[in-house]
Amino acid sequence: MNNEELLTFARHAMQMSYSPYSNCKVGAALLAKNGKVYEGCNIENAAYGPTMCAERTAIFKAVSEGVTEFEKIAIVGGKNGVEDGLYPPCGVCRQVMREFCSLDFPVILGKKDGFVETTLEELLPYSFGPENLN
Ligand code: THU
C-alpha cells in the first residue's frame, strides 16, 4: 500500500476523533505486516489526563488483537478537522512505537498538500527499547 492510500485511512480515522476539549482531530492508520490497516483517533476526556492519542489507539487496537508486527504508520490532524501543517506524534506515542517497530519504521506525516516521510529513529534518537533490558 502506498503512502497516499494509507493517508486516506488516517483521514477516515480523523473523522472519528472525540475531541470536544481541544477540537484537534487526529487520525492514524497503522499498516500491519499481515496487510491489515488499524485506524485510530484521539479520544479526549473531561479529566484531560485519560486522553488517548490517535497513534496509540491504533497500536493498541492491533496489539489487543494479537498483531505486533508493523510496516508503517500515517498520521494526520488539524484544528476542527481541517488539515493544515504536520501533526507529529507526541513523545509517549514515539516510545510506544519503539516497543513494536524497528528504528527504520516509516512514519508518514500528512498535511494539506502532500506528506513528509520520516523514521522512528529520526523522531526518537538514542532511544531506550526492549533490548536495553536484556
Ligand atoms: N494528539 C494525538 O492524538 N496524537 C499525538 O501524538 C499528539 C496529540 C491529540 C491528543 C489531544 O486530543 C489533542 O491531540 C491535542 O493535544
Side-chain angles (χ1 to χ4, degrees), residues 17-19 22 24-27 41-44 51-55 75 87-91 93:
S17 167
Y18 175 78
S19 44
S22 74
C24 293
K25 291 182 185 282
V26 188
C41 64
N42 56 328
I43 304 169
E44 298 188 344
T51 291
M52 180 54 61
C53 292
E55 298 89 330
I75 304 160
Y87 246 70
C90 79
C93 290

Side-chain angles (χ1 to χ4, degrees), residues 1 4 7 16-18 21 28 41 44-45 51 54 62 69 72 76 78 82-83 89 93 102 106 110 113 116 132:
M1 180 176 303
E4 283 296 355
L7 280 162
M16 306 300 152
S17 167
Y18 175 78
Y21 306 106
C41 64
E44 298 188 344
N45 188 282
T51 291
E69 292 184 21
K72 57 183 169 179
V76 294
V82 180
E83 270 182 77
C93 290
S102 59
D113 48 355
V116 167
N132 291 107

